[in-house]
Amino acid sequence: MKKMQIVIVSAALSIAGLLCFPAAAEPEKILDLGNGRSVYRWLGSCAVYGIIDGDSALVIDAGNTHVAKDLKDAGIKSIDWILFTHHHREQTWLHGQCKIAETKIAAPDAERDLFEKPMDFRKIMPSLNDRFSVYGASFVRPWIKPIHLDRTLKPGEVVEWHGLQLRCIDSRGHSPGALSYALQAGEHRIVFSGDTLRDGSQLVTWFDSEWDYGYGEGLKALIESVGRLIGENPTILLPSHGPIINKDPLGQLTTYKQRLEKLLKLYVRGYGIGTTAPDEQDLVSKPTAVEDIGQVLPHLYKFKKKNDWPNFAILIADSGRALVFDAGVGRERLEKTLNQMKEKLGLKSIDAVLVTHMHGDHVTDALYLRDQW
């Protein structure tokens, strides 16, 4: 029974995301803004930043359980605002524990539904028509419970608090509507940059910027956002993950933008979606007597049609026996095609289906082929 309890606790921690992040540490004073104001940082599932003025505070993001307690112990009577940089659950899931008194919450307007209607996006079976989907796999990851927003923020808006002005900067790319917050305080040009980058001119994660299955829209958005931060000419960047960036932040942003631009050229598909002819999409296979089937090698065939990429290839031996590699076509179409291949390409039987991995668009017709062929 004790072992079972340990396993259950570990699973719960994994689900919450805690095992991926450093243990919460004591708050660290990282900046003195003058006039009795300071900026503190707490580490947890994300870095939480608190601006302290007298007995009031403003907090950016909510990934630490100790923020409110630490501030209370330090004599803070109210956290006036929690400002979120973006909706990801490592930023948001502890928002209820980061409140003192009548704390208000603000977040990017473009992500309002991700905060207030998270279950619209946390689906077991997303569809292609869902907002923020990558061919059926959502790339957004909100916290499971609704978070009511007292204010939504758009790029260019200003949050005024105790004589300070935090300007909202469009920082889309890591998430679909992320904001950074720029603050001029004396000689400091501070940007709370969320997950735009990590120290060392590095991506925080790759998958969060994969919006469209290889056409680079998330990367392009991120590159534009980095350009906007370069325009801020910051003296310090305060990111959600990793060390603060106070060593040549402008140089780091410039290097990061160059790296992303190089990555974009290396990664993006070599043709435009919906605009390119089949021969330009596939420079290898040749047409055959079977509709929409191309011949790659003397015995190897695949589907070939504009804007059509079913995961299916078939190797037909001289004897007519065949091997299929992946089966994600659609049964009616597959049956029609295989019958034509029997008539025109010498197919007699299929011995096996070799599946490369478990994704549905590679495996859904495998059982059908086993039963019927």
Side-chain angles (χ1 to χ4, degrees):
M1 185 61 185
K2 289 183 179 179
K3 289 184 179 180
M4 182 179 293
Q5 288 174 334
I6 291 172
V7 170
I8 292 171
V9 170
S10 296
L13 290 173
S14 296
I15 291 169
L18 294 179
L19 296 183
C20 301
F21 304 108
E26 292 295 317
E28 173 191 7
K29 183 178 179 180
I30 57 175
L31 278 174
D32 187 342
L33 302 182
N35 299 320
R37 298 168 175 153
S38 301
V39 179
Y40 285 79
R41 180 177 70 159
W42 290 258
L43 297 179
S45 60
C46 73
V48 179
Y49 295 97
I51 304 174
I52 313 301
D53 184 18
D55 60 4
S56 299
L58 177 147
V59 167
I60 296 175
D61 290 325
N64 184 290
T65 57
H66 301 296
V67 174
K69 180 182 183 300
D70 289 344
L71 290 175
K72 283 182 180 179
D73 290 347
I76 302 301
K77 295 180 180 177
S78 67
I79 296 176
D80 297 331
W81 284 96
I82 299 174
L83 306 184
F84 285 111
T85 56
H86 60 291
H87 77 278
H88 287 163
R89 50 185 173 263
E90 62 266 29
Q91 314 291 127
T92 61
W93 68 293
L94 291 169
H95 71 281
Q97 297 183 43
C98 290
K99 293 182 176 182
I100 298 177
E102 300 298 322
T103 302
K104 293 182 179 180
I105 297 177
D109 183 75
E111 297 189 355
R112 180 168 197 158
D113 286 349
L114 292 164
F115 282 85
E116 296 190 330
K117 301 176 183 178
M119 297 310 292
D120 287 356
F121 304 93
R122 294 179 63 99
K123 296 181 178 180
I124 292 176
M125 297 182 66
S127 71
L128 291 180
N129 295 323
D130 288 342
R131 188 180 176 203
F132 305 132
S133 71
V134 183
Y135 292 86
S138 174
F139 69 91
V140 295
R141 39 194 179 88
W143 178 234
I144 193 169
K145 296 180 181 179
I147 300 173
H148 171 72
L149 302 180
D150 298 285
R151 179 179 175 182
T152 61
L153 301 168
K154 296 180 179 180
E157 287 191 39
V158 173
V159 177
E160 296 194 16
W161 181 78
H162 287 225
L164 299 175
Q165 294 186 330
L166 290 96
R167 187 162 41 82
C168 304
I169 304 170
D170 183 351
S171 297
R172 295 175 302 121
H174 178 79
S175 78
L179 293 174
S180 296
Y181 299 106
L183 172 64
Q184 181 72 49
E187 62 184 18
H188 299 294
R189 294 178 63 84
I190 305 161
V191 175
F192 300 90
S193 54
D195 278 336
T196 309
L197 78 162
R198 293 177 64 105
D199 186 39
S201 303
Q202 297 179 2
L203 273 167
V204 176
T205 60
W206 159 248
F207 53 85
D208 285 307
S209 298
E210 177 45 78
W211 291 7
D212 55 1
Y213 222 70
Y215 290 98
E217 289 306 309
L219 264 180
K220 292 173 187 175
L222 185 58
I223 290 168
E224 292 173 359
S225 295
V226 175
R228 283 186 282 271
L229 294 191
I230 289 173
E232 295 294 321
N233 193 23
T235 59
I236 183 167
L237 296 169
L238 301 181
S240 288
H241 294 99
I244 63 175
I245 304 173
N246 55 9
K247 183 179 180 180
D248 191 19
L250 187 60
Q252 287 214 37
L253 286 167
T254 302
T255 298
Y256 184 47
K257 186 170 183 285
Q258 292 169 349
R259 289 177 175 177
L260 292 175
E261 289 169 342
K262 182 177 181 180
L263 175 61
L264 182 66
K265 292 178 181 179
L266 292 171
Y267 177 75
V268 172
R269 300 183 187 199
Y271 48 83
I273 187 168
T275 62
T276 311
D279 288 344
E280 294 174 89
Q281 296 171 1
D282 174 359
L283 303 177
V284 177
S285 62
K286 306 299 181 183
T288 69
V290 177
E291 181 182 2
D292 299 333
I293 286 292
Q295 185 175 24
V296 183
L297 294 169
H299 296 85
L300 183 63
Y301 302 87
K302 58 164 280 189
F303 279 94
K304 180 175 184 176
K305 182 181 178 182
K306 183 177 180 179
N307 298 322
D308 177 56
W309 304 277
N311 297 300
F312 173 88
I314 185 168
L315 189 69
I316 304 176
D318 291 335
S319 65
R321 297 172 66 174
L323 295 177
V324 167
F325 302 89
D326 288 336
V329 180
R331 294 183 183 183
E332 183 177 340
R333 181 183 183 189
L334 187 57
E335 184 71 17
K336 176 183 176 181
T337 298
L338 292 176
N339 284 326
Q340 288 184 6
M341 295 182 90
K342 288 180 69 175
E343 295 175 11
K344 301 177 180 179
L345 298 179
L347 174 65
K348 293 181 180 178
S349 64
I350 296 173
D351 287 345
V353 179
L354 306 182
V355 177
T356 59
H357 61 287
M358 51 72 66
H359 287 168
D361 57 338
H362 290 255
V363 73
T364 49
D365 297 318
L367 293 178
Y368 166 75
L369 286 175
R370 183 173 65 184
D371 293 342
Q372 299 298 320
W373 284 81

